[in-house]
Amino acid sequence: MSTELKVQVAIIGGGVAGLWLLNRLNQAGYDTILLEKNALGGGQTLASQGIIHGGLKYALDGNLSPASSAIAAMPDRWRACLQGDGELDLQGCKVLSSHYYMWSSGSFRSRLKAFLGSKALRGRIDALKPVQYPDFFQNTGQHKVEGTVYQLTDFVVDTPSLLETLAAPWRDRLFQCRDLQLTHNDSGTELTLDTGDAYVTLQATRVILCAGEGNEALLNGWEHPHTVNPPAMQRRPLHMVTVKVPHPAPPYLHCIGDSFGMTPRLTLTAHPCKESSDAQWIWYLGGELAESGMKRDEQSQQAFARQELQTLFPWIDFSQAVWSSFLINRAEPQVSDQQRPDNAYVEACGPLLICWPTKLTLCPNLGDSVIDMLDAQSLIGHDDSRNTLQTLSELLPTPDVAPSPWEALR
């Protein structure tokens, strides 16, 4: 059986980037569907820490880098969406912490980096008095909290609820397809979808690749007679650690260390612990710990993380903590010397738009770029898509939201 269908825009990849664009484009009048290979958010999105940040860690040397300047406006745009006043309505998304914090320990270099960052981001960071410290730094017994705690404009969202909120308005345009092939013809891009029982030929005027690390395989062998080669991808590998710990106050903070690098010594978030009677939170550890952790095996990485936490937070009992760790790759467009890209990335390659948001916080920036690019291309009017939606709904399931990485490990 073979079926031929048409759609104006097909997005491949159901992480936060693809779902964000699905909402923006349909609201802007573009007839758009989304195809996901497995489950929503199962790549980078649910492996992220959910931080909507304003560029602090790119300003710890006291300078406003292009990256910190590009990200500066993102928290306000996200907050508008969460209040129902932004470009998307995210009122259904749960916020885990309305503020994020930065803590410099008592060491000179740590205090200096935090001070320089606070000066560079004047107006977006406030030094707190001890009585204003978050609950995590209260009730520390005989242990005094050294250094300074700063409150940032950043905040933390619950990524599963973010995905659910983005998916809800357009579930009739979300399809799970475990295998597809891209080819080019005179009418645009042709997607051959393997539904198991049938091959479906889908003609799309534009295809947007938002598959993260999966973009590389989709672009393998892609050729178009009127375009240059598609952009190359780079991977930024990380060794993340999770800790299930019976402590009532969740931590949301950057711990600034003594290294000369700009990456925080430790970046901590906490996420609800499901189906557990002995712990309320899963602590999720990133930052320099995750970057340098690529040199350590799982056992060594977990032991190092435990030592770091016990050193930083001696008032917390980790004797009953449960540790795990796993590797993830952050997919990015290739940049010289493996530097971090400054903005969300989108490049037109014939009828393809190839995207890497690079960071969760930059999704509004990605949406702006894609909308501007499509508007400039003056796409022709589209056919009635009811037949396409009806046929695909009969042949392909709707993808669910993937479990968080620490849930998948159980």
Side-chain angles (χ1 to χ4, degrees):
M1 173 183 173
S2 179
T3 304
E4 293 188 0
L5 302 169
K6 292 183 179 181
V7 72
Q8 189 178 31
V9 180
I11 298 170
I12 301 177
V16 65
L19 288 169
W20 191 281
L21 291 179
L22 180 70
N23 281 262
R24 285 290 308 269
L25 295 184
N26 277 303
Q27 287 181 183
Y30 289 100
D31 181 22
T32 307
I33 65 169
L34 185 147
L35 300 164
E36 163 57 40
K37 183 177 182 180
N38 296 307
L40 301 175
Q44 290 178 219
T45 298
L46 288 168
S48 76
Q49 294 187 276
I51 304 170
I52 308 302
H53 71 88
L56 167 77
K57 64 182 180 179
Y58 305 117
L60 291 178
D61 60 354
N63 296 309
L64 279 176
S65 68
S68 61
S69 298
I71 292 172
M74 294 300 109
D76 285 344
R77 290 186 63 177
W78 276 85
R79 281 196 167 90
C81 292
L82 290 164
Q83 295 166 2
D85 298 326
E87 60 254 42
L88 301 183
D89 185 353
L90 299 181
Q91 293 180 88
C93 177
K94 182 188 302 182
V95 175
L96 295 177
S97 180
S98 58
H99 289 285
Y100 202 74
Y101 299 89
M102 175 180 70
W103 175 44
S104 64
S105 65
S107 71
F108 172 76
R109 190 175 295 148
S110 171
R111 287 185 287 116
L112 177 62
K113 288 165 66 175
F115 174 78
L116 292 174
S118 68
K119 293 303 180 185
L121 299 179
R122 189 184 301 273
R124 289 187 274 146
I125 180 170
D126 296 311
L128 301 180
K129 298 177 181 179
V131 295
Q132 299 173 306
Y133 287 3
D135 290 346
F136 180 74
F137 285 111
Q138 305 296 338
N139 302 316
T140 60
Q142 62 181 346
H143 301 283
K144 181 182 178 181
V145 178
E146 302 288 349
T148 306
V149 177
Y150 298 84
Q151 180 176 284
L152 312 179
T153 59
D154 309 11
F155 58 96
V156 183
V157 297
D158 179 63
T159 48
S161 73
L162 172 61
L163 293 167
E164 292 281 6
T165 302
L166 288 169
W170 307 104
R171 294 200 72 84
D172 64 330
R173 291 175 175 268
L174 292 170
F175 303 100
Q176 184 183 44
C177 180
R178 296 192 178 278
D179 187 35
L180 64 84
Q181 299 294 324
L182 289 173
T183 54
H184 170 73
N185 58 35
D186 293 338
S187 301
T189 301
E190 189 172 273
L191 292 83
T192 303
L193 313 180
D194 184 357
T195 68
D197 298 324
Y199 286 96
V200 177
T201 301
L202 178 64
Q203 194 75 39
T205 307
R206 293 291 181 273
V207 173
I208 304 177
L209 300 190
C210 287
E213 197 173 7
N215 281 358
E216 188 175 60
L218 290 166
L219 289 169
N220 186 30
W222 167 261
E223 293 183 359
H224 186 274
H226 305 300
T227 64
V228 297
N229 292 331
M233 187 186 81
Q234 68 185 28
R235 292 171 173 83
R236 192 176 301 281
L238 300 169
H239 193 167
M240 306 295 289
V241 176
T242 67
V243 189
K244 185 166 72 171
V245 55
H247 186 273
Y252 298 98
L253 71 151
H254 292 302
C255 301
I256 307 303
D258 292 334
S259 71
F260 289 101
M262 292 300 102
T263 302
R265 174 179 179 177
L266 189 64
T267 295
L268 269 165
T269 54
H271 305 264
C273 182
K274 299 179 180 178
E275 302 176 3
S276 177
S277 59
D278 60 349
Q280 295 180 341
W281 302 98
I282 295 286
W283 293 12
Y284 194 26
L285 283 57
E288 173 58 29
L289 171 85
E291 294 184 4
S292 65
M294 293 305 301
K295 303 173 184 177
R296 295 183 284 269
D297 61 25
E298 288 190 13
Q299 184 176 3
S300 300
Q301 175 72 339
Q302 292 168 33
F304 182 79
R306 179 168 188 151
Q307 181 181 9
E308 286 282 89
L309 291 181
Q310 289 178 329
T311 299
L312 290 166
F313 315 121
W315 63 89
I316 296 177
D317 180 9
F318 292 100
S319 62
Q320 302 301 313
V322 178
W323 305 80
S324 64
S325 63
F326 51 88
L327 304 179
I328 64 172
N329 284 321
R330 180 179 295 167
E332 302 168 343
Q334 191 172 78
V335 179
S336 61
D337 300 325
Q338 285 277 306
Q339 295 297 306
R340 289 181 175 89
D342 291 334
N343 293 294
Y345 177 94
V346 56
E347 180 173 334
C349 189
L352 296 185
L353 271 63
I354 302 152
C355 302
W356 284 283
T358 70
K359 302 169 188 68
L360 178 69
T361 192
L362 284 171
C363 281
N365 176 242
L366 177 66
D368 293 344
S369 298
V370 170
I371 290 284
D372 289 347
M373 193 168 289
L374 290 178
D375 286 350
Q377 292 177 349
S378 301
L379 299 190
I380 60 173
H382 54 84
D383 297 329
D384 189 336
S385 64
R386 283 177 294 182
N387 179 54
T388 295
L389 297 178
Q390 167 101 25
T391 302
L392 290 179
S393 67
E394 293 171 355
L395 296 173
L396 296 171
T398 302
D400 295 321
V401 173
S404 298
W406 47 88
E407 294 171 353
L409 290 172
R410 290 204 302 264

